[in-house]
Amino acid sequence: KIQNSAILFLSEKMMEKENAGIAYHVSQILYESCHFESMIKIYRRMCEESERKPSRVFIGVTPILDARNLTYIEGLGAVVPEDVKAKVLSDNNAARITERSGSQIIEMLQIFFDRAYAVHPDSRFGVYAETIRMKDVNAYVDFFGRMREALKIYRSFGIKEKV
C-alpha cells in the first residue's frame, strides 16, 4: 500500500520534471487508479499554485496474458492488487485471463477519466499501451482495439489489423 508521503513525493517529482521543461509524463503500468488519482490531484494543485498548465499525462497499461506474464509485469515495478490478481487468474485459460485483465483495465480507465474530467474538463490524459511479449502480439492488438472502442479514444495507436 502506498502511503500519503509517497504520493506527495511522486507529485513533487512531477513538478521537478515540469520545472525542467518536460513535455509530458508517463505513469507506471496501472491496474487500479486510487493512488494515481491522489497524485494527480496534488500535482494539479501544485501546478495551479505555480500558475502553470499541467502537462499531458500518459497512463501506462498492458493486459495480463497468463501467470508468467504477471510475474514479469510485477518485476517491471507494476503494482497489481491482490483482488485483481485473484479475479484475473481465476482459471488457467489464457484467452479468459487476457479478457478479464483487459476488462479490468478498461473499467479502471473509464472510472478515472470520468472522475478526472468531471473535476477538471481541461485535463490532458493519454494512454500508453505497453506490449510486453511480441509472440503474443495478436492478443495485444485485440486488447488495444477493445480499449480504443470502449474509451472512445479517437487517436490511433498505429495498429490497423492483426499481424
Side-chain angles (χ1 to χ4, degrees):
K1 186 171 178 164
I2 299 175
Q3 300 298 318
N4 288 339
S5 60
I7 292 170
L8 179 60
F9 172 78
L10 293 171
S11 301
E12 289 169 346
K13 294 304 265 180
M14 289 178 79
M15 282 307 295
E16 285 178 24
K17 293 174 182 178
E18 283 292 314
N19 294 332
I22 195 166
Y24 58 87
H25 300 278
V26 179
S27 80
Q28 288 280 0
I29 296 169
L30 297 179
Y31 292 95
E32 62 85 24
S33 66
C34 66
H35 299 300
F36 183 72
E37 286 180 50
S38 298
M39 183 182 69
I40 294 297
K41 285 178 187 174
I42 294 169
Y43 164 67
R44 281 199 64 100
R45 189 184 74 236
M46 290 175 171
C47 286
E48 288 168 6
E49 289 170 358
S50 62
E51 299 179 355
R52 309 182 76 108
K53 183 177 180 179
S55 294
R56 180 178 300 275
V57 177
F58 288 91
I59 301 167
V61 298
T62 192
I64 297 167
L65 304 178
D66 55 37
R68 184 174 173 203
N69 179 243
L70 170 62
T71 300
Y72 184 79
I73 290 168
E74 289 179 316
L76 294 174
V79 176
V80 184
E82 291 301 319
D83 62 322
V84 172
K85 288 182 203 179
K87 177 180 166 184
V88 169
L89 298 175
S90 60
D91 65 40
N92 289 326
N93 182 291
R96 287 195 296 265
I97 290 171
T98 304
E99 171 72 25
R100 285 191 297 269
S101 71
S103 295
Q104 169 70 28
I105 292 165
I106 290 167
E107 180 181 342
M108 181 251 327
L109 289 172
Q110 287 171 325
I111 291 168
F112 173 77
F113 288 145
D114 286 348
R115 288 179 184 163
Y117 289 122
V119 176
H120 296 286
D122 63 332
S123 294
R124 298 183 310 147
F125 293 103
V127 176
Y128 169 69
E130 176 118 15
T131 302
I132 305 287
R133 295 190 314 205
M134 289 310 296
K135 73 177 189 138
D136 298 307
V137 71
N138 287 338
Y140 291 112
V141 170
D142 290 343
F143 164 71
F144 299 155
R146 280 182 50 222
M147 182 177 64
R148 186 171 156 193
E149 179 60 29
L151 298 175
K152 304 291 187 235
I153 295 173
Y154 299 109
R155 186 178 300 240
S156 173
F157 288 113
I159 298 171
K160 302 287 186 214
E161 58 189 62
K162 287 187 178 184
V163 175

